[in-house]
Amino acid sequence: MSDLNILVQLIQSLYSPTTPPSQHQEIQKRLQEAQSSDAAWSIVGPLLESSDPNIRFFGASTLALKISQSWAELSPEHHDSLKSSTLSWLSASAAASYPAGADRQPKPGERVVLRKLAAAVTSLSLRLDDKWEDWLLEVIMRVAAGDGTPQGGSSREAVLEVLSVVIEQVTRADLVGPKRAAYMTRLASSHSHVVSTLSSSLSSADSYAEVNSALSCFSAFLIAGQIPHASLSTLYPLLLPPLSVAETAVEACAAVQEVIERSSGYSPGAPMTRFVSRPLTDELITGWVCSPWVKSIIAGAVEEQEAEDEALAVMKLVCAIAEHALTYIFKPGTSTHSTHRFLTLESPEILELFRLVLAVTCFPGYATESFSTGELGLGVWMSLQEECSDEGLVSGDGDTREGRGGREAEWPVVRTIFGALADALRQRATWPASETYKTLPKDIIDGIRIHRDTMVAETLLYVYYILRDSMLGGLVDLAAQQVSVLESTGRFEDLEATLFCLFAIQEGTMSDEATHLPRLFSPAILGRLPTTGYPLLRATTLRLVGAYSSWFTTQPDACISAVSFIVPALEQPSLSSAAARALRLLCDDNRKTLVPHVGSFVAVLGGLEGKIEDSELVKVLESVSSVIQALPEDQIVEPLLTLANPIVAKLQSSVDNFAQLPTEARELCLQQLSYLVACAKGLADPEGDLVDLDASFDDSQVQRETSSRLLRDSRVAAMRERLAAAFEGTAKLWASDLEVGQALADFVKHTSSDSIPSPLTLDPLSLLSLATSVFQASLSPVWIAIATSLLARLARDQNDSQLSDEQLAAVIRYFPRVLASLPAHLDAVITFGERGLGMQERFSLKATIDLLVASVQQSRMESSSASIFRQTVLTHCRPLLHSLLQSIGGAVPRSHLQALSELLHACILRMPDETRVAMRELLAAPGWPTDKASDDAKSKFEKAVLGARNGRLVRTAVSDFALCCRGLDGSSYGAASLAVFD
């Protein structure tokens, strides 16, 4: 059996429904191998002559693939014959796909073959370059004539199809610079024939299919930037009639929309001068947008709550025209150069245009497609709001509000448009009736919620920027009416939608302008809302309260009412998250207002544990702690202990019960640590991270003295002792548990970050000792992070300066007096470093090396602290060198060799005698640091580093020795990596 027959059988097997799917991958692999072989050039012709469309398609694909990827395989003397054959195959396929004559039927499966052959001929033109000057003209003529084919000629639709594929391939071609310019010049020589073909098909097509092909081809050439302005003047009028024909509306709308957007600068691609001018825009609005056909299409889609392709295309074009018209309608309706009166904002046609956009924006239904349709008008309203703001068409007092001089008549129009939009959006935001809501699947409910929170909320904000206080007042008035409806009928949906609108516009409101908010949060409205049942209504109200939390700072009575509404929702699982968030926002912004009620807060907390999720409870804990932080000194202790003591006791119980119930004890431990972190965040100074330029030293000193007195209180001191014991027990018991370690680190971080310690802050010296011992038992970067926070705390206590908590190296480099006054802890830090040299995690290892380099280099300073550093470092010289040489020998990745060489060089410079002795003794050990390092190699390394005059020589010696220890010396891989290291 010949190779061609085998190939044909493989193709047929691939497309055969009887072939098991398990064999497809192997068949595809063999076909790909056939396509990539040199013999593939010779099999294209036989494959394209087959009667099987699948085989012909494989042949066309092989041809396109070989031309684009394997052109160099073909000798130049075969170029002309390949071009001739390709054109013949293309014309034959075109005649079979789109035969001329109404009585002839296309060959099944041939059109995909034609598209692939069109791609091949385009690729061939790119390869032949200037050797094929008028290639597109020749392609057009050959396809149209169908010369030499038994089927006869092709219809114009075949030419249009080939042209569409050609221009798409040219657009994707990798052409740059002069080569692209020359190619496009040759392509432009055929523009007249392209335009002629398009004009003929658009003006005298034989079928709707031909019109659609012409429209699609037009769009493709327009996107490629290959239709000049003069040609567009010829073709544009021919695009308009198909707009109102159901069979051609989709392609026609897409083509006109492309013209509009490209002439407006919205779409990427080749630049185009503004073609759709004001007169053309007016013609589109008057002649098409306002036509009964367009109105009926949109009305029908709205009634059916489904936008088919035709209706969707119409709505897209209407929105594009509206957005484009906004560049004109605010300008005068007449000009000195024309007697024609243009459309303006007050024109009935423009009002009709916005009415249609409004129908699109509030497109009904709860399917994903309905929400996507509604988003089409978003850009129109954003642009309209910006134009109105620029023109002073905004609600309010003043010369620049509600229409500037001479334009007062436009303000009622703007107010009407945005008023109608506000009402429609409120209706769109309304949830389905309860009977319907209960039957909706979860994905539909999530879709409604997302659509409301994004498109509807964003558009409402645009409305508010124009209507402002009148919109806010209208919504509050409406809410007052709807509360009465709720009380009498139990229907809440309309009220919930109104409250959602008030929530959505919060971002744009200003406290001094929001004169209607006191009534909204008064007993007349908020006080009458239910605190049981009605989860959707209460959830929206909770969001509303949280959004306006900053407004309550000047309204203490309203703030207390808001808290009273929030508290019952905390115990309801479906509302606890929204309630916790609202409470946290209120507490953050209204600490002083809520201080007298802190006892009630703490009492509420006592009943929440176990009733709501921990993730929500921590939010409430943080909120209540933030209020406790604002209490006067003589009132803070009792609520603080009421809050903290149960958490500390349960943390200790998790340690005590570990032996009996290890899994439950760990879960309890993590839970209580999360509570402690939440309390620490709340007790932190809310302005602790701000620099108050007006604050005096006396103010800061008063705060420090107040904090000191609080910490000395016997009751607080006893709580801190129990907390320290529980913390120590937790750290030792779960020393190797990364999750517990991270929770401990979070607690230390949040209790060490403020310049003034909080009541939960533990003694940093004791914690540093604890971190040292735990680190020795469990090598983990978590304990380095904890030590960093603690050293930062100590640095501030020593009044050195403000300190970033990022790296221990920075502490040593810039705050040596902290550790100089704490020699025992400096010794612990160096111990950290020694053990840390064995870590594999790159960031932790880098930080450790930086730490040790800083410690060793600190000993060279001319200061009192330098001698302490030198004494401490000297005692660690041998163990430090042991860890260092072991790391160089292979204990850590080679990417750190440069940093390790810097550390070794620092040791040689600062401790020359001690380093010399220690290195000689360490390297004398047989088989150390690895058995691949011979005695000669170790001796050479020792002499090289100890005799090096600079860091570069040390680096070279370290690199050579590292390769030797890894068995890579003399290998090409080792040499290459050495070059990278250098």
Side-chain angles (χ1 to χ4, degrees):
M1 183 180 295
S2 67
D3 293 341
L4 180 61
N5 291 335
I6 294 174
L7 184 61
V8 168
Q9 287 186 358
L10 287 172
I11 298 170
Q12 291 173 335
S13 298
L14 181 65
Y15 290 100
S16 173
T18 61
T19 302
S22 58
Q23 297 181 12
H24 284 182
Q25 185 174 359
E26 178 62 26
I27 294 173
Q28 289 174 343
K29 180 181 178 182
R30 294 180 63 183
L31 290 175
Q32 289 170 359
E33 291 174 352
Q35 285 183 319
S36 61
S37 67
D38 294 343
W41 291 102
S42 62
I43 64 173
V44 169
L47 292 175
L48 287 171
E49 293 171 0
S50 172
S51 59
D52 188 335
N54 293 326
I55 296 175
R56 291 200 304 276
F57 178 76
F58 183 81
S61 299
T62 302
L63 177 63
L65 185 69
K66 296 300 286 185
I67 293 174
S68 63
Q69 298 184 8
S70 306
W71 182 249
E73 296 176 357
L74 195 66
S75 59
E77 58 267 21
H78 293 112
H79 289 176
D80 287 340
S81 61
L82 177 64
K83 181 179 73 173
S84 177
S85 298
T86 302
L87 287 172
S88 297
W89 294 326
L90 179 68
S91 61
S93 181
S97 300
Y98 300 94
D103 58 335
R104 296 174 56 193
Q105 297 299 316
K107 194 173 185 179
E110 189 63 30
R111 291 183 177 179
V112 292
V113 179
L114 176 63
R115 292 185 63 85
K116 190 60 71 174
L117 288 171
V121 79
T122 307
S123 183
L124 183 60
S125 74
L126 293 167
R127 296 296 176 269
L128 293 176
D129 200 13
D130 56 357
K131 297 182 180 65
W132 195 5
E133 289 285 347
D134 299 321
W135 70 273
L136 185 56
L137 177 59
E138 187 173 356
V139 167
I140 294 173
M141 301 304 292
R142 293 288 294 271
V143 170
D147 51 350
T149 60
Q151 297 91 343
S154 307
S155 67
R156 282 185 304 212
E157 198 174 347
V159 177
L160 295 169
E161 181 73 6
V162 170
L163 286 175
S164 297
V165 175
V166 163
I167 200 62
E168 290 169 4
Q169 294 295 317
V170 169
T171 302
R172 290 196 290 263
D174 186 17
L175 291 173
V176 294
K179 185 176 181 180
R180 176 178 178 79
Y183 185 86
M184 289 303 179
T185 300
R186 292 192 295 274
L187 187 67
S189 65
S190 303
H191 277 169
S192 60
H193 293 82
V194 174
V195 172
S196 176
T197 301
L198 291 172
S199 299
S200 299
S201 293
L202 290 172
S203 60
S204 58
D206 295 329
S207 64
Y208 291 129
E210 183 181 344
V211 175
N212 284 327
S213 294
L215 291 167
S216 177
C217 183
F218 168 84
S219 297
F221 271 84
L222 185 64
I223 292 171
Q226 293 301 307
I227 295 186
H229 198 291
S231 300
L232 196 58
S233 300
T234 301
L235 294 173
Y236 175 76
L238 303 177
L239 305 178
L240 303 183
L243 285 174
S244 301
V245 178
E247 290 80 1
T248 58
V250 174
E251 292 292 344
C253 287
V256 173
Q257 183 177 344
E258 195 63 46
V259 174
I260 291 173
E261 292 182 349
R262 289 187 170 271
S263 68
S264 302
Y266 298 147
S267 293
M272 180 191 298
T273 57
R274 185 176 293 277
F275 177 79
V276 184
S277 59
R278 187 171 189 176
L280 292 181
T281 305
D282 286 358
E283 290 175 7
L284 271 174
I285 295 172
T286 305
W288 184 73
V289 172
C290 296
S291 67
W293 188 82
V294 170
K295 295 178 185 178
S296 65
I297 289 293
I298 295 180
V302 170
E303 184 178 357
E304 296 292 332
Q305 297 189 10
E306 183 177 3
E308 299 290 349
D309 291 345
E310 177 189 354
L312 188 61
V314 169
M315 288 188 282
K316 286 181 179 179
L317 181 56
V318 167
C319 292
I321 292 172
E323 194 165 356
H324 180 67
L326 287 172
T327 59
Y328 301 119
I329 61 176
F330 287 94
K331 297 177 181 179
T334 58
S335 69
T336 57
H337 305 291
S338 174
T339 58
H340 175 74
R341 182 163 185 82
F342 298 115
L343 298 179
T344 64
L345 183 64
E346 302 167 65
S347 301
E349 295 86 350
I350 295 299
L351 295 179
E352 180 64 23
L353 171 64
F354 284 122
R355 189 190 69 79
L356 293 174
V357 175
L358 180 59
V360 174
T361 302
C362 298
F363 194 82
Y366 303 116
T368 302
E369 294 77 10
S370 297
F371 297 142
S372 300
T373 301
E375 294 174 2
L376 296 175
L378 185 60
V380 177
W381 304 119
M382 179 181 68
S383 300
L384 180 60
Q385 178 263 314
E386 291 174 349
E387 292 288 343
C388 289
S389 298
D390 292 343
E391 297 295 334
L393 296 170
V394 179
S395 177
D397 299 327
D399 295 338
T400 60
R401 295 289 184 99
E402 299 188 1
R404 294 172 180 165
R407 308 194 65 173
E408 295 84 358
E410 293 178 340
W411 170 242
V413 178
V414 170
R415 186 174 55 199
T416 300
I417 292 173
F418 279 99
L421 177 60
D423 291 340
L425 288 170
R426 182 172 51 79
Q427 293 296 328
R428 185 57 175 147
T430 305
W431 284 99
S434 298
E435 299 79 11
T436 304
Y437 177 85
K438 294 175 182 178
T439 65
L440 295 177
K442 183 178 182 301
D443 60 327
I444 295 295
I445 293 175
D446 290 342
I448 297 173
R449 184 175 289 110
I450 293 171
H451 184 66
R452 285 181 8 137
D453 288 348
T454 53
M455 198 287 291
V456 175
E458 186 175 346
T459 312
L460 281 167
L461 197 55
Y462 298 149
V463 178
Y464 179 76
Y465 286 144
I466 300 300
L467 301 181
R468 304 201 70 84
D469 195 58
S470 62
M471 178 182 180
L472 183 61
L475 288 171
V476 173
D477 290 341
L478 188 59
Q481 299 170 16
Q482 292 168 338
V483 168
S484 298
V485 174
L486 170 68
E487 293 173 336
S488 61
T489 67
R491 309 300 301 187
F492 70 92
E493 292 85 4
D494 290 340
L495 173 59
E496 189 276 338
T498 301
L499 296 180
F500 171 80
C501 293
L502 287 163
F503 160 76
I505 64 175
Q506 179 276 327
E507 181 182 334
T509 60
M510 301 176 65
S511 297
D512 56 342
E513 295 182 356
T515 57
H516 301 278
L517 290 180
R519 190 156 60 98
L520 173 63
F521 294 110
S522 70
I525 298 180
L526 180 64
R528 294 167 63 188
L529 296 180
T531 54
T532 59
Y534 300 99
L536 286 176
L537 175 62
R538 292 168 64 199
T540 299
T541 308
L542 290 169
R543 297 178 72 190
L544 177 68
V545 169
Y548 287 95
S549 60
S550 60
W551 175 83
F552 289 101
T553 56
T554 58
Q555 306 288 331
D557 293 339
C559 183
I560 300 304
S561 298
V563 172
S564 300
F565 180 83
I566 292 172
V567 170
L570 288 170
E571 297 187 15
Q572 188 167 336
S574 62
L575 297 174
S576 60
S577 179
R581 176 175 173 78
L583 182 61
R584 184 175 63 183
L585 292 170
L586 272 181
C587 291
D588 288 347
D589 290 327
N590 302 272
R591 295 182 184 215
K592 294 182 180 179
T593 300
L594 298 173
V595 158
H597 307 274
V598 69
S600 301
F601 278 111
V602 176
V604 168
L605 275 175
L608 288 180
E609 188 171 1
K611 295 182 179 179
I612 66 174
E613 295 290 335
D614 286 343
S615 59
E616 308 307 332
L617 183 57
V618 296
K619 298 176 186 177
V620 182
L621 278 169
E622 184 177 345
S623 303
V624 176
S625 300
S626 70
V627 178
I628 292 176
Q629 191 272 341
L631 284 170
E633 178 184 354
D634 59 345
Q635 300 177 22
I636 193 174
V637 174
E638 286 300 329
L640 170 66
L641 296 180
T642 304
L643 186 68
N645 279 338
I647 301 175
V648 174
K650 290 183 180 180
L651 180 62
Q652 183 62 54
S653 70
S654 70
V655 176
D656 298 338
N657 297 327
F658 174 76
Q660 293 79 20
L661 300 168
T663 303
E664 292 79 358
R666 181 181 180 275
E667 292 178 357
L668 180 62
C669 170
L670 288 170
Q671 181 190 58
Q672 301 307 308
L673 285 175
S674 69
Y675 295 168
L676 282 172
V677 171
C679 292
K681 290 180 180 179
L683 291 171
D685 184 357
E687 299 180 354
D689 57 346
L690 302 178
V691 178
D692 187 356
L693 300 178
D694 297 325
S696 65
F697 173 78
D698 292 338
D699 294 336
S700 177
Q701 190 62 28
V702 169
Q703 293 178 356
R704 289 181 179 275
E705 292 174 356
T706 301
S707 174
S708 297
R709 287 194 297 271
L710 178 62
L711 295 179
R712 289 196 299 270
D713 185 287
S714 59
R715 296 165 295 174
V716 175
M719 181 272 291
R720 295 177 70 217
E721 288 179 3
R722 294 193 298 275
L723 175 59
F727 187 97
E728 181 178 358
T730 301
K732 291 181 177 179
L733 192 58
W734 286 285
S736 301
D737 192 309
L738 289 178
E739 190 175 0
V740 174
Q742 187 59 55
L744 293 171
D746 289 341
F747 175 74
V748 172
K749 175 184 175 182
H750 289 290
T751 55
S752 304
S753 56
D754 284 350
S755 58
I756 299 174
S758 80
L760 295 180
T761 301
L762 301 178
D763 178 43
L765 296 179
S766 300
L767 288 182
L768 189 58
S769 297
L770 173 63
T772 302
S773 61
V774 174
F775 184 77
Q776 290 174 343
S778 175
L779 194 64
S780 170
V782 168
W783 298 105
I784 293 181
I786 291 176
T788 301
S789 298
L790 294 170
L791 287 168
R793 169 87 264 169
L794 290 168
R796 280 192 289 271
D797 291 345
Q798 291 290 327
N799 293 320
D800 250 281
S801 178
Q802 285 293 328
L803 175 67
S804 168
D805 294 344
E806 291 299 322
Q807 295 185 0
L808 282 167
V811 177
I812 293 174
R813 185 177 297 113
Y814 300 116
F815 300 90
R817 284 190 286 118
V818 175
L819 293 175
S821 63
L822 304 167
H825 294 285
L826 174 60
D827 184 81
V829 169
I830 304 301
T831 302
F832 277 153
E834 291 172 9
R835 295 181 62 82
L837 282 177
M839 288 188 292
Q840 296 294 307
E841 199 275 314
R842 57 182 298 230
F843 293 109
S844 301
L845 180 57
K846 178 64 166 60
T848 300
I849 296 173
D850 289 345
L851 162 68
L852 291 172
V853 171
S855 302
V856 174
Q857 290 181 340
Q858 192 65 46
S859 63
R860 82 181 195 280
M861 305 296 180
E862 295 295 333
S863 65
S864 58
S865 62
S867 60
I868 296 177
F869 267 88
R870 178 174 175 78
Q871 293 171 8
T872 306
V873 171
L874 283 176
T875 60
H876 287 268
C877 181
R878 182 184 175 87
L880 175 60
L881 283 171
H882 183 277
S883 298
L884 175 57
L885 294 176
Q886 206 162 30
S887 297
I888 293 173
V892 301
R894 284 187 300 138
S895 57
H896 293 282
L897 287 180
Q898 182 170 346
L900 292 171
S901 69
E902 292 176 6
L903 177 57
L904 180 58
H905 190 215
C907 291
I908 294 171
L909 292 177
R910 307 301 162 217
M911 305 176 293
D913 296 337
E914 293 78 5
T915 301
R916 188 182 304 275
V917 173
M919 280 192 66
R920 182 172 294 114
E921 293 175 354
L922 290 169
L923 292 174
W928 191 90
T930 70
D931 55 3
K932 295 183 176 64
S934 64
D935 292 340
D936 289 341
K938 290 192 284 187
S939 176
K940 180 181 178 181
F941 169 62
E942 178 187 346
K943 292 177 182 178
V945 296
L946 295 177
R949 298 186 301 274
N950 53 50
R952 185 181 62 81
L953 295 175
V954 174
R955 196 160 58 242
T956 301
V958 167
S959 178
D960 291 340
F961 187 62
L963 293 177
C964 179
C965 291
R966 291 166 171 79
L968 297 175
D969 54 318
S971 66
S972 58
Y973 174 73
S977 59
L978 178 61
V980 173
F981 179 71
D982 288 339

